[in-house]
Amino acid sequence: MMTKKSTPASRASLILFLSQMIAALEVPLDLSQPPTITHQSPKNYIVDPRENIVIQCEAKGKPPPSFSWTRNGTHFDIDKDARVTVKPNSGTLVINIMNGGKAEAYEGIYQCTAKNERGAAISNNIVIRSSRSPLWTKEKIEPKHVREGDPLVLQCSPPVGLPPPIIFWMDNSFQRLPQNERVSQGLNGDLYFSNVKPQDTREDYICYARFNHTQTIQQKQPISVKVFSMDSLNETISANLSDTDFYSAKPLTERRPALLTPVGSTSTKVELRGNVLLLECIAEGL
Ligand SMILES: *[C@@H]1O[C@H](CO)[C@@H](O)[C@H](O)[C@H]1NC(C)=O
Ligand SMILES: *[C@@H]1O[C@H](CO)[C@@H](O)[C@H](O)[C@H]1NC(C)=O
Ligand SMILES: *[C@@H]1O[C@H](CO)[C@@H](O)[C@H](O)[C@H]1NC(C)=O
Ligand SMILES: *[C@@H]1O[C@H](CO)[C@@H](O)[C@H](O)[C@H]1NC(C)=O
């Protein structure tokens, strides 16, 4: 660094220079700035069909940016749709689906652009989908008669909802059915028994599906399970067994484990980047 004896003149020019520098530092606050997005809806946005749809897009910039939207890749003309309004000083869309509107009609890929004389900023693609909680198809479920020690899978097969429902098994008085190393629930909601015991006998295995978004719970028809043991083969129950079942009935013996899921010697699982990948392994055995 160079040093120099300062004369009054050079000191004065230094002060002038410094004060210009300070002014220069303050200037950017008044300068124009290109827009930047400050708030936007999530990339995958599942909306409640009973509520207005709010698609967020906020941006700052100088001068304040103006906003425009595309839907499914083409310009979305907000003025042409009476249900759509834009929040003041922002790009956020409010779609009024009360009074006969349908959230499904607004499903699609949305993207917001904030623009001013300095440039433009673009939001993520925001995929809007309406949540769904379809009803369980009515079905008649045959009671399950199982030999003690045998494996058993009770199928849940919930209706395909968006987002997928949360599955749990309870009895008809809303008590959770016990799960342990022998009894477990699969990712698809099915209930797996590695081997059944007489105490698994009950009339009311009920699979429930809770649809989080619509806050509804649906239940499948109860499944009845009757476990019979060879020691105390009861005539009432044995009367209901087919001949093959009856004659193949063997005393309880241990057996090596086998996989209930995944099935086959290889299996494939595909998951989207950024999501959690779950690899499932459920075995039966005694
Ligand atoms: C946008 O595209 C999706 C998927 O192809 C379609 O289901 C939806 O109806 C479209 N939305 C509009 C408003 O055209
Ligand atoms: C259920 O919905 C609420 C908000 O409605 C959310 O905070 C919560 O994470 C959701 N739970 C699950 C398991 O999806
Ligand atoms: C046989 O089973 C029936 C019905 O489960 C029961 O009522 C009966 O007491 C049983 N009989 C014997 C001998 O265990
Ligand atoms: C046997 O089957 C009959 C008719 O199929 C049914 O009514 C009865 O409840 C069954 N008994 C047992 C013990 O499952």
Side-chain angles (χ1 to χ4, degrees), residues 3 25 31 35 44 48-49 61 66 68 80 88 114 123 145-146 148 158 162 167 172-173 223 231 235 240 247 249:
T3 51
L25 285 173
L31 272 182
N44 269 305
D48 186 331
S66 61
S68 63
K80 282 203 178 140
S123 74
H145 292 142
V146 211
E148 181 178 5
L162 187 73
I167 303 298
N172 59 16
S173 51
I223 306 176
D231 316 336
E235 278 180 24
N240 276 12
Y247 291 114

Side-chain angles (χ1 to χ4, degrees), residues 84-230:
V84 186
T85 51
V86 185
K87 280 199 177 168
N89 307 319
S90 99
T92 298
L93 298 181
V94 179
I95 305 174
N96 181 347
I97 58 161
M98 304 295 148
N99 311 317
K102 271 200 162 325
E104 283 86 355
Y106 290 93
E107 291 188 331
I109 303 170
Y110 290 73
Q111 195 168 39
C112 161
T113 304
K115 207 181 270 178
N116 68 10
E117 61 196 29
R118 289 293 308 279
I122 302 178
S123 74
N124 291 325
N125 275 332
I126 301 168
V127 181
I128 301 284
R129 286 179 300 169
S130 172
S131 73
R132 292 178 172 85
S133 47
L135 294 173
W136 225 304
T137 46
K138 279 264 179 287
E139 56 186 333
K140 169 117 182 61
I141 304 172
E142 293 298 325
K144 311 261 182 226
H145 292 142
V146 211
R147 249 178 346 203
E148 181 178 5
D150 275 2
L152 172 68
V153 181
L154 299 182
Q155 260 148 22
C156 175
S157 329
V160 180
L162 187 73
I166 296 147
I167 303 298
F168 46 97
W169 288 82
M170 297 200 291
D171 65 13
N172 59 16
S173 51
F174 277 103
Q175 293 300 304
R176 285 222 178 222
L177 295 169
Q179 289 188 31
N180 46 45
E181 57 180 11
R182 196 173 57 80
V183 185
S184 57
Q185 183 182 316
L187 295 174
N188 63 359
D190 289 357
L191 193 63
Y192 292 85
F193 296 77
S194 296
N195 53 77
V196 292
K197 290 192 167 176
Q199 64 261 34
D200 295 329
T201 295
R202 59 162 65 240
E203 309 262 288
D204 53 353
Y205 282 93
I206 306 175
C207 185
Y208 289 86
R210 183 159 64 86
F211 294 90
N212 197 23
H213 264 65
T214 52
Q215 289 168 9
T216 52
I217 293 182
Q218 291 188 32
Q219 77 171 78
K220 192 184 171 87
Q221 303 282 93
I223 306 176
S224 160
V225 172
K226 192 152 271 176
V227 178
F228 57 91
S229 69
M230 286 302 108

Side-chain angles (χ1 to χ4, degrees), residues 33-38 58-65 67 116:
Q33 280 177 338
T36 46
I37 305 277
T38 54
E58 315 265 335
K60 62 174 190 198
K62 237 173 195 174
F67 295 85
N116 68 10

